[in-house]
Amino acid sequence: MKRLLHEFTKGITIENPTFGLILGLCPTLAVSTSLGNAIGMGAAATFVLVCSNTIVSSVRRIIPDRIRLPAFIVIIATFVTMCELIMKAYAPALDVSLGIFVPLIVVNCIIMARAEAFACKHGVGASIFDGLGMGVGFTLGLCVIASVREILGAGSIAGKQLIPGFQPATVLILAPGALATLGLLIALSNLMKSKKSTCRACRKGGCG
Amino acid sequence: MDFARIMTIAVSMIFINNFILSKFLGLCPFLGVSKETKPAVSMGLAVIFVMTCSAVITWSIYNYLLIPFGITYLRTITFILVIAAFVQLIEMVIRKFSLALYRSLGIYLPLITTNCAVLGVTILNVDDFFIQGKPIPGSFFFATLQAFFAGVGFLLALIIMSGIRERLELTDVPPSMQGIPIAFIVASLMSLAFMGFSGFKF
């Protein structure tokens, strides 16, 4: 039980996909314009991550090593398609605002990376918790970025006006704001880490 | 063909809707390969090639296979598999016929499979140039062009970024900002500059 809990919490803290591993950047930047979008994207990615981790770890002994990557892609793409159809049916507004980034969950590095680095080496239980932890960590990372951008860029949080008469800096909602916010937040998390320990590895980036 | 439409697609894809700087597609290679100019150029050219070819292939599959059978909801699975298989094929062909080219491009080719820009452009093509399951006139031509110019925009952003990062190596950056964070700040300033093409909307 303690081990499972560890798999869950490591995705939120040390190996946080956004600030620790620096994975899955494209959706992180593109959909973090508002808190609502961020939570929707996070939930979709978590769903796909948990499902694909479960399936990958349960068929890991059947899949020949040479074709494992195409097999992972098919598994992930299946769940992404399911997610897309569910979202179209039950949350059409969210589907429109996330747009092209729903099908693009397929190429989100976090999911592929977890399948390759964790799920194909561990049992089903551990993989589910790993997927959940990573998904929640990704969602939290998205929410932090989205909150900063929405509060400063639109003067609201989850669509609600915060301070009446506040003149928001629209640039934060637009593309440059996203890149600058993420850059500064990663720098901040590096700063906090370096105060705790002299962790050189945290600077290394993964693929996006 | 309508020349004005072609120019619109070109300008829009290269400058206004630049894939990296305004749509956030393909950030992974953008940060990973932009440390030096030479590999950046190779990567950019490889992306242009793969994007254009995958646009041609996926458009044909969508039009002649998915639409007639009414299985357009399978597009994500089909497209990613086609792209992955195609990239693998290209890698094999290049290794067989030109070892020099393989050495300069080889390691970047597998990376392209997980490049969201490639899948992104094929999905955008299907969204933009099909209306209610029917291709618009000149659809195939526009789709190919859109993919090609998206690749050119990608190459442009990659070259500018790698030029700046080569200089950045010589500057004194605070320890917590080194590497990825400062690259993001640079990308943000570039993106601000590219926004000049579309203009601020308040």
Side-chain angles (χ1 to χ4, degrees):
Chain A
M1 194 59 220
K2 206 177 165 200
R3 208 173 61 86
L4 290 184
L5 206 66
H6 168 74
E7 304 299 357
F8 180 70
T9 50
K10 75 164 196 285
I12 301 174
T13 53
I14 337 162
E15 290 187 23
N16 186 293
T18 310
F19 299 116
L21 304 175
I22 318 194
L23 288 172
L25 293 179
C26 311
T28 308
L29 290 169
V31 304
S32 61
T33 46
S34 74
L35 196 59
N37 281 354
I39 293 174
M41 183 70 194
T46 310
F47 167 76
V48 176
L49 198 52
V50 172
C51 295
S52 73
N53 259 9
T54 315
I55 300 294
V56 166
S57 84
S58 49
V59 297
R60 69 185 190 281
R61 289 186 218 286
I62 310 169
I63 300 177
D65 201 44
R66 286 188 58 186
I67 59 149
R68 67 177 196 287
L69 291 179
F72 294 167
I73 290 181
V74 176
I75 293 170
I76 294 168
T78 310
F79 286 113
V80 170
T81 307
M82 277 166 64
C83 185
E84 212 183 329
L85 295 176
I86 293 170
M87 206 180 263
K88 273 203 171 66
Y90 294 104
L94 186 66
D95 182 66
V96 170
S97 66
L98 294 184
I100 189 180
F101 285 93
V102 184
L104 284 183
I105 298 176
V106 179
V107 281
N108 189 328
C109 311
I110 304 169
I111 297 169
M112 197 61 172
R114 289 334 281 175
E116 168 73 7
F118 193 91
C120 73
K121 298 191 187 90
H122 293 77
V124 179
S127 299
I128 291 176
F129 275 89
D130 177 74
L132 259 182
M134 283 289 157
V136 173
F138 178 63
T139 313
L140 283 179
L142 265 179
C143 286
V144 171
I145 299 168
S147 316
V148 172
R149 288 181 68 192
E150 206 187 339
I151 291 171
L152 295 178
S156 62
I157 187 89
K160 286 190 193 67
Q161 188 83 24
L162 274 184
I163 314 161
F166 172 67
Q167 184 66 48
T170 317
V171 71
L172 273 160
I173 291 289
L174 303 169
L179 293 160
T181 311
L182 185 58
L184 292 175
L185 284 176
I186 293 176
L188 192 68
S189 101
N190 280 353
L191 191 68
M192 283 179 348
K193 267 183 217 156
S194 67
K195 279 202 174 140
K196 272 187 203 151
S197 63
T198 46
C199 161
R200 295 271 155 199
C202 4
R203 264 191 235 135
K204 264 198 304 188
C207 85
Chain B
M1 281 294 165
D2 189 357
F3 188 69
R5 183 83 194 257
I6 297 172
M7 280 314 285
T8 314
I9 292 180
V11 172
S12 146
M13 278 294 133
I14 299 177
F15 297 112
I16 302 171
N17 289 324
N18 187 293
F19 258 39
I20 296 177
L21 297 171
S22 73
K23 289 198 170 163
F24 306 120
L25 292 169
L27 277 172
C28 341
F30 178 64
L31 290 171
V33 203
S34 62
K35 288 211 177 82
E36 280 171 66
T37 311
K38 251 190 117 175
V41 173
S42 310
M43 179 68 177
L45 292 175
V47 166
I48 294 181
F49 179 68
V50 172
M51 262 188 180
T52 316
C53 296
S54 352
V56 170
I57 300 170
T58 51
W59 189 93
S60 314
I61 290 183
Y62 193 79
N63 195 30
Y64 299 117
L65 210 66
L66 297 189
I67 292 182
F69 287 103
I71 45 171
T72 46
Y73 59 87
L74 286 180
R75 65 170 188 187
T76 313
I77 301 185
T78 325
F79 286 7
I80 188 75
L81 276 181
V82 166
I83 292 169
F86 177 70
V87 170
Q88 202 90 75
L89 184 77
I90 293 294
E91 199 187 340
M92 282 193 245
V93 169
I94 290 182
R95 186 156 52 181
K96 185 90 183 158
F97 290 107
S98 164
L99 218 69
L101 189 64
Y102 178 73
R103 289 227 177 87
S104 65
L105 274 186
I107 46 167
Y108 302 115
L109 277 170
L111 280 177
I112 295 177
T113 318
T114 52
N115 185 340
C116 29
V118 178
L119 185 63
V121 81
T122 57
I123 292 176
L124 271 185
N125 276 342
V126 166
D127 283 348
D128 285 356
F129 302 122
F130 283 84
I131 293 170
Q132 291 171 348
K134 289 245 161 50
I136 61 165
S139 167
F140 178 72
F141 183 64
F142 289 141
T144 316
L145 271 184
Q146 171 151 303
F148 175 74
F149 285 118
V152 174
F154 185 88
L155 175 67
L156 179 71
L158 210 57
I159 292 177
I160 299 176
M161 182 69 174
S162 61
I164 298 176
R165 276 183 90 174
E166 276 181 358
R167 294 300 176 99
L168 211 58
E169 291 287 305
L170 306 172
T171 54
D172 191 18
V173 179
S176 56
M177 294 283 280
Q178 272 167 24
I180 298 286
I182 195 73
F184 270 118
I185 306 290
V186 170
S188 158
L189 295 175
M190 275 169 66
S191 158
L192 204 56
F194 269 70
M195 271 189 63
F197 292 112
S198 59
F200 260 116
K201 287 181 286 285
F202 284 106

Tab-separated table of all heavy atoms in Angstrom, chain A residues 92-128:
chain	number	residue	atom	x	y	z
A	92	PRO	N	-19.799	19.520	-25.357
A	92	PRO	CA	-19.463	20.091	-26.673
A	92	PRO	C	-18.759	21.447	-26.574
A	92	PRO	O	-17.884	21.744	-27.386
A	92	PRO	CB	-20.822	20.213	-27.372
A	92	PRO	CG	-21.840	20.044	-26.324
A	92	PRO	CD	-21.237	19.297	-25.198
A	93	ALA	N	-19.099	22.245	-25.548
A	93	ALA	CA	-18.475	23.563	-25.428
A	93	ALA	C	-16.977	23.413	-25.157
A	93	ALA	O	-16.144	24.097	-25.763
A	93	ALA	CB	-19.131	24.367	-24.311
A	94	LEU	N	-16.650	22.472	-24.259
A	94	LEU	CA	-15.244	22.215	-23.933
A	94	LEU	C	-14.504	21.705	-25.167
A	94	LEU	O	-13.379	22.098	-25.446
A	94	LEU	CB	-15.161	21.185	-22.801
A	94	LEU	CG	-13.777	20.900	-22.251
A	94	LEU	CD1	-13.225	22.129	-21.568
A	94	LEU	CD2	-13.802	19.733	-21.288
A	95	ASP	N	-15.192	20.823	-25.928
A	95	ASP	CA	-14.580	20.256	-27.128
A	95	ASP	C	-14.205	21.357	-28.107
A	95	ASP	O	-13.119	21.334	-28.698
A	95	ASP	CB	-15.558	19.275	-27.783
A	95	ASP	CG	-14.959	18.616	-28.996
A	95	ASP	OD1	-14.001	17.851	-28.812
A	95	ASP	OD2	-15.426	18.881	-30.117
A	96	VAL	N	-15.104	22.357	-28.254
A	96	VAL	CA	-14.819	23.453	-29.184
A	96	VAL	C	-13.642	24.275	-28.683
A	96	VAL	O	-12.748	24.632	-29.448
A	96	VAL	CB	-16.075	24.335	-29.376
A	96	VAL	CG1	-15.728	25.606	-30.129
A	96	VAL	CG2	-17.147	23.555	-30.106
A	97	SER	N	-13.595	24.552	-27.355
A	97	SER	CA	-12.525	25.436	-26.901
A	97	SER	C	-11.175	24.712	-26.832
A	97	SER	O	-10.137	25.346	-26.950
A	97	SER	CB	-12.871	26.093	-25.564
A	97	SER	OG	-12.934	25.136	-24.556
A	98	LEU	N	-11.176	23.395	-26.650
A	98	LEU	CA	-9.889	22.676	-26.691
A	98	LEU	C	-9.474	22.398	-28.128
A	98	LEU	O	-8.294	22.307	-28.437
A	98	LEU	CB	-9.960	21.363	-25.909
A	98	LEU	CG	-10.148	21.477	-24.405
A	98	LEU	CD1	-10.109	20.114	-23.762
A	98	LEU	CD2	-9.099	22.365	-23.783
A	99	GLY	N	-10.472	22.235	-29.002
A	99	GLY	CA	-10.230	22.117	-30.436
A	99	GLY	C	-9.298	20.987	-30.803
A	99	GLY	O	-9.449	19.846	-30.369
A	100	ILE	N	-8.262	21.333	-31.576
A	100	ILE	CA	-7.357	20.334	-32.148
A	100	ILE	C	-6.551	19.615	-31.077
A	100	ILE	O	-6.014	18.546	-31.303
A	100	ILE	CB	-6.447	21.029	-33.167
A	100	ILE	CG1	-5.625	20.024	-33.952
A	100	ILE	CG2	-5.573	22.037	-32.518
A	100	ILE	CD1	-4.724	20.657	-34.963
A	101	PHE	N	-6.502	20.176	-29.859
A	101	PHE	CA	-5.652	19.560	-28.843
A	101	PHE	C	-6.254	18.321	-28.215
A	101	PHE	O	-5.564	17.615	-27.490
A	101	PHE	CB	-5.253	20.590	-27.786
A	101	PHE	CG	-4.213	21.515	-28.319
A	101	PHE	CD1	-4.569	22.712	-28.906
A	101	PHE	CD2	-2.889	21.144	-28.316
A	101	PHE	CE1	-3.612	23.527	-29.458
A	101	PHE	CE2	-1.930	21.955	-28.863
A	101	PHE	CZ	-2.293	23.153	-29.435
A	102	VAL	N	-7.528	18.040	-28.481
A	102	VAL	CA	-8.077	16.765	-27.997
A	102	VAL	C	-7.478	15.593	-28.791
A	102	VAL	O	-6.897	14.687	-28.193
A	102	VAL	CB	-9.615	16.768	-28.048
A	102	VAL	CG1	-10.151	15.482	-27.466
A	102	VAL	CG2	-10.166	17.943	-27.271
A	103	PRO	N	-7.572	15.576	-30.143
A	103	PRO	CA	-6.884	14.471	-30.842
A	103	PRO	C	-5.381	14.464	-30.608
A	103	PRO	O	-4.757	13.407	-30.658
A	103	PRO	CB	-7.219	14.707	-32.317
A	103	PRO	CG	-7.791	16.051	-32.413
A	103	PRO	CD	-8.383	16.370	-31.081
A	104	LEU	N	-4.819	15.629	-30.312
A	104	LEU	CA	-3.364	15.680	-30.148
A	104	LEU	C	-2.891	15.099	-28.818
A	104	LEU	O	-1.689	15.046	-28.572
A	104	LEU	CB	-2.853	17.107	-30.295
A	104	LEU	CG	-2.789	17.624	-31.727
A	104	LEU	CD1	-2.213	19.008	-31.777
A	104	LEU	CD2	-1.954	16.698	-32.591
A	105	ILE	N	-3.816	14.665	-27.953
A	105	ILE	CA	-3.382	13.969	-26.730
A	105	ILE	C	-2.562	12.736	-27.117
A	105	ILE	O	-1.693	12.308	-26.374
A	105	ILE	CB	-4.603	13.570	-25.861
A	105	ILE	CG1	-5.362	14.812	-25.417
A	105	ILE	CG2	-4.170	12.813	-24.614
A	105	ILE	CD1	-6.620	14.515	-24.642
A	106	VAL	N	-2.839	12.179	-28.308
A	106	VAL	CA	-2.085	11.004	-28.777
A	106	VAL	C	-0.582	11.240	-28.721
A	106	VAL	O	0.175	10.368	-28.309
A	106	VAL	CB	-2.461	10.669	-30.241
A	106	VAL	CG1	-1.673	9.485	-30.738
A	106	VAL	CG2	-3.920	10.428	-30.380
A	107	VAL	N	-0.158	12.428	-29.152
A	107	VAL	CA	1.270	12.682	-29.212
A	107	VAL	C	1.763	13.415	-27.970
A	107	VAL	O	2.866	13.946	-27.967
A	107	VAL	CB	1.665	13.462	-30.487
A	107	VAL	CG1	1.719	12.541	-31.669
A	107	VAL	CG2	0.736	14.608	-30.737
A	108	ASN	N	0.943	13.421	-26.921
A	108	ASN	CA	1.403	13.999	-25.661
A	108	ASN	C	2.487	13.091	-25.075
A	108	ASN	O	2.246	11.917	-24.807
A	108	ASN	CB	0.219	14.108	-24.707
A	108	ASN	CG	0.559	14.881	-23.465
A	108	ASN	OD1	1.684	14.842	-23.002
A	108	ASN	ND2	-0.410	15.579	-22.936
A	109	CYS	N	3.675	13.659	-24.895
A	109	CYS	CA	4.813	12.813	-24.499
A	109	CYS	C	4.599	12.108	-23.173
A	109	CYS	O	5.154	11.039	-22.965
A	109	CYS	CB	6.090	13.623	-24.380
A	109	CYS	SG	6.398	14.660	-25.758
A	110	ILE	N	3.844	12.723	-22.250
A	110	ILE	CA	3.708	12.111	-20.928
A	110	ILE	C	3.156	10.706	-21.054
A	110	ILE	O	3.643	9.764	-20.419
A	110	ILE	CB	2.727	12.908	-20.051
A	110	ILE	CG1	3.146	14.354	-19.940
A	110	ILE	CG2	2.632	12.303	-18.664
A	110	ILE	CD1	2.071	15.204	-19.327
A	111	ILE	N	2.134	10.552	-21.901
A	111	ILE	CA	1.439	9.273	-21.977
A	111	ILE	C	2.353	8.203	-22.547
A	111	ILE	O	2.496	7.113	-21.994
A	111	ILE	CB	0.144	9.449	-22.803
A	111	ILE	CG1	-0.758	10.437	-22.070
A	111	ILE	CG2	-0.542	8.123	-23.012
A	111	ILE	CD1	-1.920	10.916	-22.845
A	112	MET	N	3.014	8.552	-23.663
A	112	MET	CA	3.956	7.619	-24.271
A	112	MET	C	5.100	7.326	-23.307
A	112	MET	O	5.514	6.172	-23.146
A	112	MET	CB	4.496	8.262	-25.554
A	112	MET	CG	5.140	7.301	-26.476
A	112	MET	SD	3.950	6.057	-26.989
A	112	MET	CE	4.911	5.258	-28.229
A	113	ALA	N	5.597	8.364	-22.639
A	113	ALA	CA	6.735	8.185	-21.743
A	113	ALA	C	6.374	7.271	-20.581
A	113	ALA	O	7.181	6.427	-20.183
A	113	ALA	CB	7.200	9.542	-21.210
A	114	ARG	N	5.177	7.393	-20.042
A	114	ARG	CA	4.788	6.537	-18.916
A	114	ARG	C	4.592	5.099	-19.373
A	114	ARG	O	4.925	4.163	-18.662
A	114	ARG	CB	3.524	7.045	-18.226
A	114	ARG	CG	3.651	8.305	-17.434
A	114	ARG	CD	5.012	8.593	-16.903
A	114	ARG	NE	5.355	7.850	-15.712
A	114	ARG	CZ	6.534	7.876	-15.121
A	114	ARG	NH1	7.496	8.616	-15.629
A	114	ARG	NH2	6.770	7.165	-14.046
A	115	ALA	N	4.026	4.944	-20.587
A	115	ALA	CA	3.845	3.586	-21.099
A	115	ALA	C	5.201	2.920	-21.267
A	115	ALA	O	5.409	1.768	-20.880
A	115	ALA	CB	3.098	3.621	-22.428
A	116	GLU	N	6.144	3.660	-21.836
A	116	GLU	CA	7.458	3.104	-22.137
A	116	GLU	C	8.315	2.963	-20.879
A	116	GLU	O	8.980	1.952	-20.689
A	116	GLU	CB	8.144	4.037	-23.161
A	116	GLU	CG	9.603	3.805	-23.408
A	116	GLU	CD	9.854	2.546	-24.230
A	116	GLU	OE1	8.877	1.950	-24.709
A	116	GLU	OE2	11.033	2.172	-24.361
A	117	ALA	N	8.288	3.969	-20.006
A	117	ALA	CA	9.218	3.966	-18.880
A	117	ALA	C	8.653	3.252	-17.659
A	117	ALA	O	9.394	2.772	-16.825
A	117	ALA	CB	9.594	5.400	-18.509
A	118	PHE	N	7.324	3.207	-17.531
A	118	PHE	CA	6.795	2.623	-16.300
A	118	PHE	C	5.885	1.426	-16.549
A	118	PHE	O	6.145	0.327	-16.077
A	118	PHE	CB	6.042	3.697	-15.496
A	118	PHE	CG	5.752	3.270	-14.090
A	118	PHE	CD1	6.644	3.557	-13.074
A	118	PHE	CD2	4.605	2.573	-13.783
A	118	PHE	CE1	6.399	3.144	-11.783
A	118	PHE	CE2	4.343	2.151	-12.498
A	118	PHE	CZ	5.248	2.435	-11.495
A	119	ALA	N	4.823	1.637	-17.345
A	119	ALA	CA	3.772	0.618	-17.428
A	119	ALA	C	4.281	-0.692	-18.014
A	119	ALA	O	3.808	-1.761	-17.649
A	119	ALA	CB	2.599	1.131	-18.242
A	120	CYS	N	5.264	-0.629	-18.941
A	120	CYS	CA	5.700	-1.889	-19.546
A	120	CYS	C	6.714	-2.611	-18.678
A	120	CYS	O	7.239	-3.653	-19.076
A	120	CYS	CB	6.200	-1.683	-20.968
A	120	CYS	SG	7.776	-0.894	-21.083
A	121	LYS	N	6.995	-2.072	-17.493
A	121	LYS	CA	7.924	-2.759	-16.592
A	121	LYS	C	7.286	-3.121	-15.257
A	121	LYS	O	7.853	-3.874	-14.485
A	121	LYS	CB	9.145	-1.880	-16.322
A	121	LYS	CG	9.947	-1.570	-17.567
A	121	LYS	CD	11.272	-0.933	-17.206
A	121	LYS	CE	12.014	-0.467	-18.435
A	121	LYS	NZ	11.693	0.904	-18.817
A	122	HIS	N	6.114	-2.569	-14.961
A	122	HIS	CA	5.511	-2.779	-13.651
A	122	HIS	C	4.147	-3.446	-13.773
A	122	HIS	O	3.569	-3.517	-14.852
A	122	HIS	CB	5.368	-1.456	-12.909
A	122	HIS	CG	6.681	-0.843	-12.535
A	122	HIS	ND1	7.473	-0.191	-13.447
A	122	HIS	CD2	7.342	-0.808	-11.361
A	122	HIS	CE1	8.570	0.228	-12.846
A	122	HIS	NE2	8.518	-0.140	-11.583
A	123	GLY	N	3.625	-3.872	-12.628
A	123	GLY	CA	2.330	-4.540	-12.598
A	123	GLY	C	1.177	-3.575	-12.794
A	123	GLY	O	1.362	-2.349	-12.840
A	124	VAL	N	-0.032	-4.154	-12.928
A	124	VAL	CA	-1.206	-3.347	-13.252
A	124	VAL	C	-1.503	-2.335	-12.146
A	124	VAL	O	-1.739	-1.148	-12.413
A	124	VAL	CB	-2.433	-4.254	-13.492
A	124	VAL	CG1	-3.658	-3.416	-13.793
A	124	VAL	CG2	-2.169	-5.198	-14.641
A	125	GLY	N	-1.480	-2.795	-10.884
A	125	GLY	CA	-1.825	-1.900	-9.775
A	125	GLY	C	-0.925	-0.686	-9.723
A	125	GLY	O	-1.398	0.461	-9.713
A	126	ALA	N	0.383	-0.934	-9.732
A	126	ALA	CA	1.345	0.170	-9.662
A	126	ALA	C	1.165	1.104	-10.857
A	126	ALA	O	1.241	2.326	-10.724
A	126	ALA	CB	2.767	-0.376	-9.628
A	127	SER	N	0.872	0.513	-12.038
A	127	SER	CA	0.739	1.340	-13.236
A	127	SER	C	-0.471	2.249	-13.152
A	127	SER	O	-0.419	3.402	-13.589
A	127	SER	CB	0.628	0.464	-14.470
A	127	SER	OG	1.779	-0.303	-14.609
A	128	ILE	N	-1.575	1.718	-12.585
A	128	ILE	CA	-2.765	2.561	-12.456
A	128	ILE	C	-2.459	3.758	-11.561
A	128	ILE	O	-2.775	4.900	-11.895
A	128	ILE	CB	-3.953	1.750	-11.889
A	128	ILE	CG1	-4.417	0.727	-12.916
A	128	ILE	CG2	-5.100	2.677	-11.503
A	128	ILE	CD1	-5.503	-0.183	-12.428
